Amino acid sequence: MDDLHTVPEAAELLHTSERFIRRLIAERRIEFVKIGRHVRIRESALIAFVVAGTVEPLTTFDATGRAA
């Protein structure tokens, strides 16, 4: 089972603000768990969010439309 992180812990892991994490939760852009009135985020959900936002670099061919 994954570790469950609080909002401050999740913000620290992603090197971002708590406000950003709360916005992701409010917009349902990240998976979270409600335990009573508390919100927890699985570590795998944080990893999935980062992977989903990862952008591959352009190659020379992609940038110019022709081979290098």
Side-chain angles (χ1 to χ4, degrees):
M1 184 170 170
D2 284 340
D3 289 337
L4 294 174
H5 297 283
T6 62
V7 170
E9 291 170 347
E12 187 175 328
L13 285 171
L14 294 182
H15 302 285
T16 187
S17 68
E18 289 181 35
R19 183 177 178 177
F20 178 70
I21 300 297
R22 292 190 189 283
R23 192 175 82 208
L24 293 176
I25 292 167
E27 295 174 357
R28 305 292 198 261
R29 293 175 51 200
I30 194 167
E31 183 181 290
F32 61 93
V33 178
K34 293 263 313 192
I35 303 171
R37 56 194 265 189
H38 301 282
V39 175
R40 299 291 184 262
I41 304 167
R42 286 189 181 101
E43 192 162 336
S44 62
L46 293 171
I47 293 168
F49 177 76
V50 170
V51 169
T54 301
V55 178
E56 295 294 323
L58 291 176
T59 62
T60 305
F61 179 79
D62 293 336
T64 62
R66 58 180 188 257

PDB file of all heavy atoms in Angstrom, residues 46-65:
ATOM      1  N   LEU A  46       0.875  11.188  -6.794  1.00  0.00           N
ATOM      2  CA  LEU A  46       1.822  12.274  -7.044  1.00  0.00           C
ATOM      3  C   LEU A  46       2.752  11.922  -8.199  1.00  0.00           C
ATOM      4  O   LEU A  46       3.003  12.753  -9.084  1.00  0.00           O
ATOM      5  CB  LEU A  46       2.642  12.569  -5.782  1.00  0.00           C
ATOM      6  CG  LEU A  46       1.872  13.154  -4.602  1.00  0.00           C
ATOM      7  CD1 LEU A  46       2.757  13.181  -3.361  1.00  0.00           C
ATOM      8  CD2 LEU A  46       1.374  14.538  -4.937  1.00  0.00           C
ATOM      9  N   ILE A  47       3.226  10.677  -8.208  1.00  0.00           N
ATOM     10  CA  ILE A  47       4.112  10.229  -9.290  1.00  0.00           C
ATOM     11  C   ILE A  47       3.367  10.243 -10.618  1.00  0.00           C
ATOM     12  O   ILE A  47       3.900  10.708 -11.630  1.00  0.00           O
ATOM     13  CB  ILE A  47       4.684   8.835  -8.966  1.00  0.00           C
ATOM     14  CG1 ILE A  47       5.616   8.922  -7.761  1.00  0.00           C
ATOM     15  CG2 ILE A  47       5.411   8.248 -10.173  1.00  0.00           C
ATOM     16  CD1 ILE A  47       6.020   7.592  -7.170  1.00  0.00           C
ATOM     17  N   ALA A  48       2.124   9.773 -10.621  1.00  0.00           N
ATOM     18  CA  ALA A  48       1.325   9.759 -11.854  1.00  0.00           C
ATOM     19  C   ALA A  48       1.097  11.176 -12.372  1.00  0.00           C
ATOM     20  O   ALA A  48       1.126  11.414 -13.583  1.00  0.00           O
ATOM     21  CB  ALA A  48      -0.011   9.059 -11.605  1.00  0.00           C
ATOM     22  N   PHE A  49       0.882  12.136 -11.464  1.00  0.00           N
ATOM     23  CA  PHE A  49       0.679  13.525 -11.872  1.00  0.00           C
ATOM     24  C   PHE A  49       1.933  14.069 -12.544  1.00  0.00           C
ATOM     25  O   PHE A  49       1.853  14.728 -13.589  1.00  0.00           O
ATOM     26  CB  PHE A  49       0.309  14.385 -10.661  1.00  0.00           C
ATOM     27  CG  PHE A  49       0.149  15.836 -10.979  1.00  0.00           C
ATOM     28  CD1 PHE A  49      -0.984  16.295 -11.622  1.00  0.00           C
ATOM     29  CD2 PHE A  49       1.142  16.740 -10.663  1.00  0.00           C
ATOM     30  CE1 PHE A  49      -1.128  17.645 -11.940  1.00  0.00           C
ATOM     31  CE2 PHE A  49       1.008  18.079 -10.972  1.00  0.00           C
ATOM     32  CZ  PHE A  49      -0.131  18.531 -11.611  1.00  0.00           C
ATOM     33  N   VAL A  50       3.086  13.774 -11.982  1.00  0.00           N
ATOM     34  CA  VAL A  50       4.352  14.245 -12.558  1.00  0.00           C
ATOM     35  C   VAL A  50       4.587  13.589 -13.914  1.00  0.00           C
ATOM     36  O   VAL A  50       4.964  14.256 -14.887  1.00  0.00           O
ATOM     37  CB  VAL A  50       5.529  13.970 -11.600  1.00  0.00           C
ATOM     38  CG1 VAL A  50       6.858  14.235 -12.272  1.00  0.00           C
ATOM     39  CG2 VAL A  50       5.386  14.810 -10.345  1.00  0.00           C
ATOM     40  N   VAL A  51       4.354  12.292 -14.013  1.00  0.00           N
ATOM     41  CA  VAL A  51       4.558  11.569 -15.274  1.00  0.00           C
ATOM     42  C   VAL A  51       3.619  12.107 -16.353  1.00  0.00           C
ATOM     43  O   VAL A  51       4.028  12.303 -17.504  1.00  0.00           O
ATOM     44  CB  VAL A  51       4.368  10.052 -15.072  1.00  0.00           C
ATOM     45  CG1 VAL A  51       4.302   9.318 -16.394  1.00  0.00           C
ATOM     46  CG2 VAL A  51       5.482   9.500 -14.216  1.00  0.00           C
ATOM     47  N   ALA A  52       2.369  12.383 -15.988  1.00  0.00           N
ATOM     48  CA  ALA A  52       1.400  12.892 -16.963  1.00  0.00           C
ATOM     49  C   ALA A  52       1.796  14.272 -17.490  1.00  0.00           C
ATOM     50  O   ALA A  52       1.470  14.624 -18.622  1.00  0.00           O
ATOM     51  CB  ALA A  52       0.009  12.960 -16.343  1.00  0.00           C
ATOM     52  N   GLY A  53       2.523  15.036 -16.688  1.00  0.00           N
ATOM     53  CA  GLY A  53       2.921  16.376 -17.103  1.00  0.00           C
ATOM     54  C   GLY A  53       4.297  16.437 -17.737  1.00  0.00           C
ATOM     55  O   GLY A  53       4.768  17.509 -18.104  1.00  0.00           O
ATOM     56  N   THR A  54       4.951  15.299 -17.869  1.00  0.00           N
ATOM     57  CA  THR A  54       6.294  15.271 -18.431  1.00  0.00           C
ATOM     58  C   THR A  54       6.238  15.464 -19.942  1.00  0.00           C
ATOM     59  O   THR A  54       5.463  14.813 -20.632  1.00  0.00           O
ATOM     60  CB  THR A  54       6.992  13.932 -18.102  1.00  0.00           C
ATOM     61  OG1 THR A  54       7.036  13.788 -16.686  1.00  0.00           O
ATOM     62  CG2 THR A  54       8.397  13.886 -18.673  1.00  0.00           C
ATOM     63  N   VAL A  55       7.056  16.357 -20.439  1.00  0.00           N
ATOM     64  CA  VAL A  55       7.096  16.677 -21.865  1.00  0.00           C
ATOM     65  C   VAL A  55       8.448  16.233 -22.409  1.00  0.00           C
ATOM     66  O   VAL A  55       9.492  16.587 -21.864  1.00  0.00           O
ATOM     67  CB  VAL A  55       6.906  18.194 -22.101  1.00  0.00           C
ATOM     68  CG1 VAL A  55       6.989  18.526 -23.576  1.00  0.00           C
ATOM     69  CG2 VAL A  55       5.593  18.652 -21.494  1.00  0.00           C
ATOM     70  N   GLU A  56       8.423  15.471 -23.472  1.00  0.00           N
ATOM     71  CA  GLU A  56       9.657  15.009 -24.117  1.00  0.00           C
ATOM     72  C   GLU A  56      10.317  16.165 -24.854  1.00  0.00           C
ATOM     73  O   GLU A  56       9.637  17.006 -25.444  1.00  0.00           O
ATOM     74  CB  GLU A  56       9.349  13.875 -25.103  1.00  0.00           C
ATOM     75  CG  GLU A  56       8.817  12.621 -24.441  1.00  0.00           C
ATOM     76  CD  GLU A  56       9.833  11.952 -23.538  1.00  0.00           C
ATOM     77  OE1 GLU A  56      11.038  11.953 -23.878  1.00  0.00           O
ATOM     78  OE2 GLU A  56       9.430  11.447 -22.484  1.00  0.00           O
ATOM     79  N   PRO A  57      11.644  16.213 -24.865  1.00  0.00           N
ATOM     80  CA  PRO A  57      12.331  17.290 -25.581  1.00  0.00           C
ATOM     81  C   PRO A  57      12.198  17.120 -27.090  1.00  0.00           C
ATOM     82  O   PRO A  57      12.035  16.006 -27.591  1.00  0.00           O
ATOM     83  CB  PRO A  57      13.794  17.129 -25.145  1.00  0.00           C
ATOM     84  CG  PRO A  57      13.912  15.706 -24.734  1.00  0.00           C
ATOM     85  CD  PRO A  57      12.566  15.314 -24.193  1.00  0.00           C
ATOM     86  N   LEU A  58      12.248  18.243 -27.791  1.00  0.00           N
ATOM     87  CA  LEU A  58      12.202  18.213 -29.249  1.00  0.00           C
ATOM     88  C   LEU A  58      13.545  17.753 -29.804  1.00  0.00           C
ATOM     89  O   LEU A  58      14.600  18.102 -29.274  1.00  0.00           O
ATOM     90  CB  LEU A  58      11.908  19.602 -29.806  1.00  0.00           C
ATOM     91  CG  LEU A  58      10.520  20.163 -29.560  1.00  0.00           C
ATOM     92  CD1 LEU A  58      10.448  21.599 -30.092  1.00  0.00           C
ATOM     93  CD2 LEU A  58       9.469  19.319 -30.229  1.00  0.00           C
ATOM     94  N   THR A  59      13.496  16.994 -30.885  1.00  0.00           N
ATOM     95  CA  THR A  59      14.724  16.651 -31.590  1.00  0.00           C
ATOM     96  C   THR A  59      14.962  17.728 -32.633  1.00  0.00           C
ATOM     97  O   THR A  59      14.095  18.561 -32.899  1.00  0.00           O
ATOM     98  CB  THR A  59      14.605  15.279 -32.274  1.00  0.00           C
ATOM     99  OG1 THR A  59      13.562  15.346 -33.240  1.00  0.00           O
ATOM    100  CG2 THR A  59      14.296  14.192 -31.259  1.00  0.00           C
ATOM    101  N   THR A  60      16.098  17.728 -33.260  1.00  0.00           N
ATOM    102  CA  THR A  60      16.389  18.701 -34.306  1.00  0.00           C
ATOM    103  C   THR A  60      15.377  18.567 -35.438  1.00  0.00           C
ATOM    104  O   THR A  60      14.904  19.555 -35.982  1.00  0.00           O
ATOM    105  CB  THR A  60      17.809  18.500 -34.848  1.00  0.00           C
ATOM    106  OG1 THR A  60      18.705  18.564 -33.757  1.00  0.00           O
ATOM    107  CG2 THR A  60      18.165  19.555 -35.853  1.00  0.00           C
ATOM    108  N   PHE A  61      14.999  17.325 -35.755  1.00  0.00           N
ATOM    109  CA  PHE A  61      14.022  17.096 -36.821  1.00  0.00           C
ATOM    110  C   PHE A  61      12.676  17.704 -36.455  1.00  0.00           C
ATOM    111  O   PHE A  61      12.037  18.347 -37.280  1.00  0.00           O
ATOM    112  CB  PHE A  61      13.868  15.593 -37.076  1.00  0.00           C
ATOM    113  CG  PHE A  61      12.855  15.289 -38.152  1.00  0.00           C
ATOM    114  CD1 PHE A  61      13.188  15.417 -39.503  1.00  0.00           C
ATOM    115  CD2 PHE A  61      11.584  14.898 -37.837  1.00  0.00           C
ATOM    116  CE1 PHE A  61      12.272  15.159 -40.492  1.00  0.00           C
ATOM    117  CE2 PHE A  61      10.646  14.631 -38.827  1.00  0.00           C
ATOM    118  CZ  PHE A  61      10.998  14.759 -40.150  1.00  0.00           C
ATOM    119  N   ASP A  62      12.239  17.526 -35.205  1.00  0.00           N
ATOM    120  CA  ASP A  62      10.947  18.067 -34.780  1.00  0.00           C
ATOM    121  C   ASP A  62      10.930  19.596 -34.831  1.00  0.00           C
ATOM    122  O   ASP A  62       9.926  20.186 -35.195  1.00  0.00           O
ATOM    123  CB  ASP A  62      10.638  17.618 -33.348  1.00  0.00           C
ATOM    124  CG  ASP A  62      10.398  16.123 -33.238  1.00  0.00           C
ATOM    125  OD1 ASP A  62      10.027  15.499 -34.258  1.00  0.00           O
ATOM    126  OD2 ASP A  62      10.584  15.588 -32.131  1.00  0.00           O
ATOM    127  N   ALA A  63      12.020  20.207 -34.462  1.00  0.00           N
ATOM    128  CA  ALA A  63      12.074  21.669 -34.381  1.00  0.00           C
ATOM    129  C   ALA A  63      12.100  22.318 -35.769  1.00  0.00           C
ATOM    130  O   ALA A  63      11.505  23.371 -35.984  1.00  0.00           O
ATOM    131  CB  ALA A  63      13.273  22.107 -33.571  1.00  0.00           C
ATOM    132  N   THR A  64      12.812  21.713 -36.720  1.00  0.00           N
ATOM    133  CA  THR A  64      12.979  22.347 -38.017  1.00  0.00           C
ATOM    134  C   THR A  64      12.097  21.735 -39.098  1.00  0.00           C
ATOM    135  O   THR A  64      11.903  22.336 -40.157  1.00  0.00           O
ATOM    136  CB  THR A  64      14.443  22.247 -38.476  1.00  0.00           C
ATOM    137  OG1 THR A  64      14.775  20.858 -38.627  1.00  0.00           O
ATOM    138  CG2 THR A  64      15.373  22.903 -37.498  1.00  0.00           C
ATOM    139  N   GLY A  65      11.602  20.532 -38.852  1.00  0.00           N
ATOM    140  CA  GLY A  65      10.789  19.862 -39.870  1.00  0.00           C
ATOM    141  C   GLY A  65      11.615  19.062 -40.857  1.00  0.00           C
ATOM    142  O   GLY A  65      11.105  18.480 -41.786  1.00  0.00           O
TER     143      GLY A  65
END
